[in-house]
């Protein structure tokens, strides 16, 4: 971890020089300066869809001295790349920056460049506003609060009713629950399905399953000292063995998530189950198309308990000229009432305890999924998540560049043991 | 400018007889000396903008990259550590680097070889009497105009292992499906086809231009001598195309060793720089990019860049020597 120590050193000097630069500039304009009309201008950076468009106008009405300038990037990838570049450069970030959960480990590793929201944020915002695991996920190792939780992606199971029936499995959302109770039950049902199905696989991609299992572990790829535990944590190897064995028994369709072939796989009924965060329902509906309406179903069960995939945080970088005003805006946007409004506007799933109980959320249903009460269902799944797993720096990169390619290699014919070696070697190189 | 040149010319004629005696040279008036400098230095001044700009955007990054390659330097780093040749030492023992080098050469050979042969054949066809020649020529250039990203996405779809059109056709005509993603050689073939699709027409037009510059008389003389079309092509046209072919080979070498977009877009995992599940089609430039901007190891990426630079220089040198040899033997024959 030689890199790590040097890193901290580097950060402090950049922050110091950024502070000097800010002092030198003396707050004359720039992003987030006071406008000509005496209003404080707050910039906010988001990606994709947060459902905030109408909320900005409402906040400006409630706070006449604030002017909000939103910067929206379509895709998360380039958005976060720009975020880290500007973080390193020491300037150019917005007053409020959204950060996706998958990039949170890298942001928390540079937590000195962000304001502690428990210090500068409104006093009435406390941790019990959010689901516990969501709140904990916004803190760095020392307990400094970097981000207010926005949305979440609680995991449920989506499955193809018609394919289940054809293979002689139960298909009613209540009756399938035993199949999705534990991972053992899940893979066992997979064997039964593959034996009786007409060419369809059980799941889409091995890494989709492995990632969900990995996220349920007490300790992730790194322990709290940021030591890589891929080899020393036997649970990771157990998950690996279980998933790769299922691959070798023909349970995987071998389709890389979000690839063109994966999209086609939905249309071609290539697999029968899908790990399903709330936002995945929209993806399935779009990719499977109207001809599969009513064939997909979703149930409030997930092997091994619960899980989360996706969702974001709002942070306030130290670069901001108006940290307190920015924190107040972030706090307001993540309050239960606003989360419900965002959910109604764009289906962004709320992360606050109060919002999860709101009648508007609980009433939400999905026609495509046979009228399933999706609001109630995902609210229940969100409460099943047990803890926020600590994610060391590089955690996301290991998932993307070590475990996923290695699992793909196994799907393409590599032996599970050789695949494991590839995974371990790549993980070590990333952690180097 | 014209007056300057004028005085310059005067000066030279005045000067020449006096030159042997040192005394006379010393007595040249200041104004004349200025003019002489003008004559000597002005040309360099006129060409200097190119070199100044090249120095800033070409040479400086090149040398700075060399400097960075001696450090353990992270992307966001204020205190890089000097580690001497360690990056290079690690690089030479890096199995992934050698793998990407072999991938690059393999894709390069698979693309450049067939590409130049097809380009010459296409040019020969275009050189025959066709109705609406401009239409055909523009048509051949169309793939070059199309966006590289669009081509990448379309070809990645065509070569999809499960639902791709190519495998569908293979199956219909009774052949086995090919896993274009998983199999190393097949993935190289698929990427090479993507490269060829884009560049063949472009090279064909260059060769066509050279073909049309071949004097009619030579070909007519060959006809009189009783040479058939095939004989004329191989014994007259091809030898006279040599300098152009060398140019095409050199440019496609430089491009071929830097293939980046095609393998990046070919990967099934969106946005991935891995070049397949086991780096089976990761090229050197893709590896360099991944090292710099994903692993954020700028020092190591710089070392990769420099080794690639040296390799390209070596290949270019070989090409240069080849060109000279072929050029001289060509003259000898004549």
């Amino acid at each position: 971890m030689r890199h790590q120590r040097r890193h901290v050193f580097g950060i402090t000097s950049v922050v110091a020089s950024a502070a000097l630069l800010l002092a030198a500039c003396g707050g004359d304009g720039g992003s987030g300066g006071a406008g000509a009309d005496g209003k404080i201008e707050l910039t906010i950076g988001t990606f994709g869809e947060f459902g905030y468009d109408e909320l900005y106008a409402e906040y400006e009405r409630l706070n006449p001295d604030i002017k909000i300038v939103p910067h929206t990037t379509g895709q998360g990838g380039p958005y976060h790349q720009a975020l880290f570049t500007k973080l390193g450069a020491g300037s150019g970030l917005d007053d409020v920056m959204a950060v996706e959960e998958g990039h949170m480990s890298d942001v928390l590793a540079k937590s000195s460049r962000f304001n502690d929201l428990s210090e500068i944020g409104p006093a009435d915002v406390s941790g019990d506003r959010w689901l516990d695991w969501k709140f904990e996920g916004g803190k760095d190792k020392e307990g400094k609060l970097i981000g207010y939780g926005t949305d979440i992606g609680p995991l449920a199971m989506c499955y193809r009713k018609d394919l289940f029936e054809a293979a002689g499995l139960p298909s009613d959302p209540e009756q399938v629950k035993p199949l999705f109770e534990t991972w053992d039950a899940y893979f066992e049902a997979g064997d039964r399905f593959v034996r009786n199905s007409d060419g369809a696989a059980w799941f889409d991609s091995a890494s989709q399953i492995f990632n969900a299992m990995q996220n349920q572990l007490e300790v992730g790829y790194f322990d709290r000292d940021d030591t890589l535990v891929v080899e020393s944590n036997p649970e990771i190897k157990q998950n690996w063995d279980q998933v790769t064995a299922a691959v070798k028994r023909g349970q995987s369709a071998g389709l890389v998530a979000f690839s063109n072939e994966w999209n086609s796989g939905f249309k071609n009924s290539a697999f029968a189950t899908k790990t399903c965060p709330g936002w995945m329902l929209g993806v399935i509906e779009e990719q499977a198309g109207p001809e599969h309406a009513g064939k997909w179903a979703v149930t409030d069960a997930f092997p091994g308990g619960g899980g989360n995939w996706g969702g974001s945080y709002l942070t306030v970088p130290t670069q901001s000229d108006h940290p307190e005003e920015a924190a107040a805006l972030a706090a307001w946007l993540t309050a239960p009432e606003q989360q419900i409004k965002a959910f109604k506007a764009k289906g962004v799933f709320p992360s606050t305890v109060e919002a999860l109980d709101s009648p508007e959320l609980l009433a939400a249903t999905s026609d495509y999924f046979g009228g399933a009460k999706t609001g109630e269902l995902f609210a229940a799944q969100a409460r099943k998540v047990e803890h926020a797993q600590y994610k060391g720096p590089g955690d996301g990169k290991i998932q993307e560049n070590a475990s996923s390619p290695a699992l793909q290699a196994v799907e393409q014919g590599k032996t599970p043991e050789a695949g494991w070696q590839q995974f371990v070697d790549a993980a070590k190189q990333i952690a180097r | 400018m014209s007056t300057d040149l004028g005085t310059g010319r005067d000066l030279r004629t005045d000067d020449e007889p006096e030159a042997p005696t040192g005394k006379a040279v010393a007595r040249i008036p200041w104004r004349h000396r200025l003019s002489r400098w003008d004559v000597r230095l002005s040309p360099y001044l006129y060409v200097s903008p190119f070199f100044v700009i090249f120095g800033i955007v070409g040479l400086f990054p090149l040398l700075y990259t060399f400097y960075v390659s001696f450090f353990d330097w992270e992307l966001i780093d204020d205190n890089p550590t000097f580690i001497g040749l360690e990056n290079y030492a690690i690089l030479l023992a890096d199995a992934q680097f050698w793998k990407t080098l072999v991938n690059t050469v393999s894709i390069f050979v698979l693309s450049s070889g067939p590409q130049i042969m097809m380009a010459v054949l296409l040019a020969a066809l275009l050189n025959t009497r066709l109705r609406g020649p401009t239409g055909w020529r523009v048509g051949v250039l169309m793939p070059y105009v199309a966006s590289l990203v669009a081509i990448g996405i379309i070809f990645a779809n065509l070569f999809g292992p499960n639902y791709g059109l190519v495998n569908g056709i293979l199956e219909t005509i009774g052949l086995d499906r090919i896993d274009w993603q998983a199999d190393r050689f097949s993935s190289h073939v698929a990427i090479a086809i993507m490269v060829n699709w884009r560049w063949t027409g472009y090279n064909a037009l260059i060769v066509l231009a050279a073909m049309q510059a071949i004097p009619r008389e030579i070909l007519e003389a060959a006809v009189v001598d009783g040479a058939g079309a095939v004989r004329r092509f191989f014994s007259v046209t091809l030898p006279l195309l040599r300098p152009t072919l060398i140019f095409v080979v050199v440019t496609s070498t430089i491009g071929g060793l830097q293939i980046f977009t095609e393998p990046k877009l070919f990967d099934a995992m969106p946005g991935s720089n891995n070049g397949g599940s086991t780096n089976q089609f990761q090229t050197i430039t893709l590896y360099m990019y991944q090292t710099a901007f994903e692993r954020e190891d700028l020092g190591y990426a710089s070392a990769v860049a420099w080794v690639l630079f040296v390799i390209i220089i070596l290949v270019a040198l070989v090409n240069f020597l080849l060109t000279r040899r072929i050029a001289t033997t060509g003259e000898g024959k004549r």
Side-chain angles (χ1 to χ4, degrees):
Chain A
M1 289 285 104
R2 179 173 50 107
H3 278 241
Q4 230 45 52
R5 214 173 313 127
R6 243 179 339 97
H7 221 101
V8 175
F9 204 53
I11 289 164
T12 37
S13 55
V14 162
V15 170
S17 52
L20 275 176
L21 211 71
L22 279 180
C25 289
D28 51 22
S31 82
D37 46 2
K39 284 186 180 181
I40 293 174
E41 198 177 286
L42 290 180
T43 57
I44 175 166
T46 60
F47 56 92
E49 186 55 77
F50 275 69
Y52 285 169
D53 292 349
E54 282 162 35
L55 296 178
Y56 295 144
E58 188 180 339
Y59 192 75
E60 284 177 340
R61 265 201 311 280
L62 294 170
N63 301 275
D65 56 331
I66 300 281
K67 184 172 183 291
I68 297 174
V69 182
H71 296 148
T72 307
T73 310
Q75 294 209 321
Y79 170 84
H80 287 93
Q81 199 166 3
L83 185 152
F84 287 107
T85 308
K86 289 170 181 172
L87 202 60
S91 70
L93 289 178
D94 294 310
D95 293 304
V96 179
M97 290 297 289
V99 178
E100 208 260 339
E101 163 232 28
H103 295 273
M104 211 46 195
S105 62
D106 292 326
V107 161
L108 293 178
K110 298 174 164 66
S111 60
S112 63
R113 299 187 188 197
F114 292 88
N115 282 298
D116 188 346
L117 295 173
S118 61
E119 277 172 20
I120 65 157
D124 59 334
V125 178
S126 66
D128 48 19
R129 184 196 251 191
W130 288 275
L131 289 168
D132 193 48
W133 59 266
K134 180 71 178 176
F135 179 66
E136 293 298 321
K139 286 182 184 169
D140 78 347
K141 251 196 296 190
E142 283 77 39
K144 184 174 166 184
L145 183 65
I146 303 302
Y148 286 144
T150 60
D151 56 325
I152 50 175
L155 283 167
M157 263 295 171
C158 292
Y159 65 98
R160 279 286 294 271
K161 257 183 174 161
D162 55 330
L163 296 182
F164 270 46
E165 272 163 24
L169 295 179
S171 68
D172 182 78
E174 284 306 311
Q175 287 170 343
V176 293
K177 280 186 182 173
L179 307 183
F180 302 143
E181 199 161 312
T182 62
W183 287 110
D184 288 337
Y186 178 74
F187 291 122
E188 213 174 284
D191 286 335
R192 264 166 70 198
F193 177 83
V194 170
R195 229 177 293 132
N196 300 318
S197 89
D198 190 23
W202 183 235
F203 50 81
D204 54 341
S205 155
S207 58
Q208 294 285 295
I209 303 297
F210 182 79
N211 293 344
M213 294 171 93
Q214 170 71 24
N215 281 326
Q216 287 175 341
L217 298 181
E218 197 72 42
V219 181
Y221 291 129
F222 294 92
D223 65 13
R224 288 209 163 246
D225 301 324
D226 292 336
T227 311
L228 188 72
V229 296
V230 169
E231 276 181 302
S232 55
N233 183 352
E235 288 176 311
I236 298 178
K237 181 68 165 57
Q238 277 164 24
N239 287 346
W240 180 274
D241 291 342
Q242 217 172 356
V243 173
T244 51
V247 168
K248 293 297 170 194
R249 296 198 300 272
Q251 291 195 20
S252 172
L255 301 169
V256 177
F258 303 105
S259 67
N260 289 316
E261 294 257 297
W262 184 76
N263 292 343
S264 308
F266 281 104
K267 285 211 175 58
N268 289 286
S269 306
F271 45 89
T273 66
K274 173 82 207 79
T275 53
C276 229
W279 49 265
M280 188 64 82
L281 299 186
V283 177
I284 292 177
E285 187 174 342
E286 191 189 330
Q287 297 304 340
E291 66 266 34
H292 290 106
K295 290 184 181 170
W296 278 96
V298 57
T299 185
D300 54 336
F302 195 78
N308 179 71
W309 178 15
S312 300
Y313 291 88
L314 294 183
T315 66
V316 179
T318 47
Q319 291 176 19
S320 168
D321 284 346
H322 305 283
E324 286 183 18
E325 289 83 353
L329 171 64
W332 185 82
L333 285 171
T334 54
E337 307 82 61
Q338 276 66 249
Q339 288 199 341
I340 286 296
K341 286 173 196 161
F343 175 75
K344 279 200 287 187
K346 299 286 173 189
V348 182
F349 204 83
S351 61
T352 52
V353 181
E354 211 185 302
L356 289 174
D357 279 332
S358 79
E360 286 109 319
L361 180 82
L362 297 179
T365 58
S366 163
D367 290 340
Y368 192 85
F369 285 78
K373 289 186 164 180
T374 46
E376 194 182 320
L377 187 150
F378 283 107
Q381 289 307 103
R383 292 199 175 85
K384 286 185 192 165
V385 181
E386 281 169 14
H387 57 272
Q389 184 189 66
Y390 172 72
K391 291 189 188 298
D395 192 287
K397 281 182 195 130
I398 289 182
Q399 178 175 315
E400 214 168 298
N401 294 329
S403 69
S404 296
L407 283 165
Q408 195 194 347
V410 172
E411 287 172 328
Q412 289 170 341
K414 213 170 195 175
T415 64
E417 280 315 309
W420 172 256
Q421 199 51 49
Q422 181 189 336
F423 167 40
V424 170
D425 291 343
K428 279 181 182 166
Q429 201 180 9
I430 291 167
R432 185 167 66 96
Chain B
M1 203 168 91
S2 60
T3 51
D4 280 356
L5 285 175
T7 42
R9 216 176 292 128
D10 289 345
L11 188 78
R12 200 174 296 152
T13 46
D14 282 351
D15 250 9
E16 267 158 17
E18 287 177 43
T21 60
K23 256 176 154 186
V25 175
R27 262 191 282 116
I28 295 173
W30 174 243
R31 195 164 53 84
H32 279 202
R33 227 183 303 169
L34 256 187
S35 313
R36 197 155 63 168
W37 286 345
D38 180 32
V39 170
R40 284 200 185 148
L41 299 180
S42 291
Y44 295 101
L45 195 68
Y46 297 143
V47 296
S48 67
F50 167 77
F51 289 98
V52 170
I53 291 172
F54 171 76
I56 295 169
V57 301
L59 194 62
F60 171 72
L62 198 72
L63 296 176
Y64 195 66
T65 305
F66 192 51
Y67 172 74
V68 170
S69 71
F70 294 113
F71 288 83
D72 180 6
W73 193 316
E74 274 183 62
L75 193 59
I76 303 170
D77 204 340
D78 302 312
N79 299 77
T81 352
F82 182 81
I83 52 168
L85 288 169
E86 203 183 307
N87 279 328
Y88 291 93
I90 298 172
L91 186 66
L92 292 179
D94 182 353
Q96 193 178 350
F97 170 73
W98 293 109
K99 192 169 188 180
T100 58
L101 180 63
V102 172
N103 289 345
T104 309
V105 172
S106 160
I107 293 173
F108 159 63
V109 170
L110 283 171
S111 58
S112 290
Q115 186 187 122
I116 288 163
M117 281 192 268
M118 281 189 297
V120 173
L121 285 178
L122 257 181
L125 285 177
L126 288 173
N127 204 21
T128 56
R129 279 169 211 269
L130 290 169
R131 228 175 261 252
T134 319
W136 289 104
R137 285 170 202 171
V138 172
V140 163
L141 200 63
M142 284 308 263
Y144 180 70
V145 180
S147 149
L148 186 52
V149 175
I151 293 178
I153 291 169
I154 291 168
F155 272 80
N157 260 320
L158 291 178
F159 286 105
N162 297 291
Y163 308 113
L165 185 67
V166 175
N167 268 350
I169 293 172
L170 286 181
E171 208 164 46
T172 341
I173 59 174
L175 295 171
D176 285 336
R177 304 176 79 87
I178 296 171
D179 195 337
W180 299 101
Q181 287 277 337
D183 183 60
R184 194 174 179 191
F185 183 71
S186 305
S187 66
H188 293 183
V189 171
I191 291 169
I193 289 176
M194 210 187 301
V195 177
N196 290 343
W197 168 255
R198 187 167 152 80
W199 288 98
T200 306
Y202 173 83
N203 286 329
L205 284 195
I206 293 179
V207 176
L208 175 65
M211 266 185 197
Q212 292 188 328
I214 296 174
R216 274 250 159 284
E217 300 82 55
I218 302 182
L219 287 165
E220 278 159 13
V223 174
V224 171
D225 285 349
V230 177
R231 182 73 203 270
R232 282 203 304 277
F233 178 74
F234 281 103
S235 300
V236 181
T237 312
L238 265 191
L240 289 172
L241 284 179
R242 262 181 194 158
T244 311
L245 288 181
I246 295 296
F247 167 77
V248 170
V249 168
V250 171
T251 48
S252 70
T253 305
I254 294 169
L257 292 176
Q258 301 187 49
I259 291 177
F260 175 82
T261 318
E262 289 90 346
K264 184 172 164 79
L265 291 170
F266 189 67
D267 203 323
M269 201 185 289
S272 164
N273 297 316
N274 292 324
S277 56
T278 50
N279 313 116
Q280 66 267 35
F281 51 88
Q282 189 177 44
T283 55
I284 298 187
T285 42
L286 201 51
Y287 182 48
M288 180 174 81
Y289 181 81
Q290 181 175 45
T291 314
F293 298 107
E294 216 168 73
R295 297 193 190 147
E296 307 192 344
D297 194 346
L298 221 51
Y300 194 65
S302 300
V304 175
W306 258 83
V307 172
L308 175 63
F309 178 64
V310 169
I311 289 171
I312 291 180
I313 294 263
L314 284 178
V315 174
L317 205 69
V318 169
N319 276 329
F320 172 71
L321 294 176
L322 270 175
T323 323
R324 265 210 336 201
R325 242 190 88 185
I326 291 170
T328 46
T329 50
E331 262 162 32
K333 268 180 200 161
R334 225 177 281 157

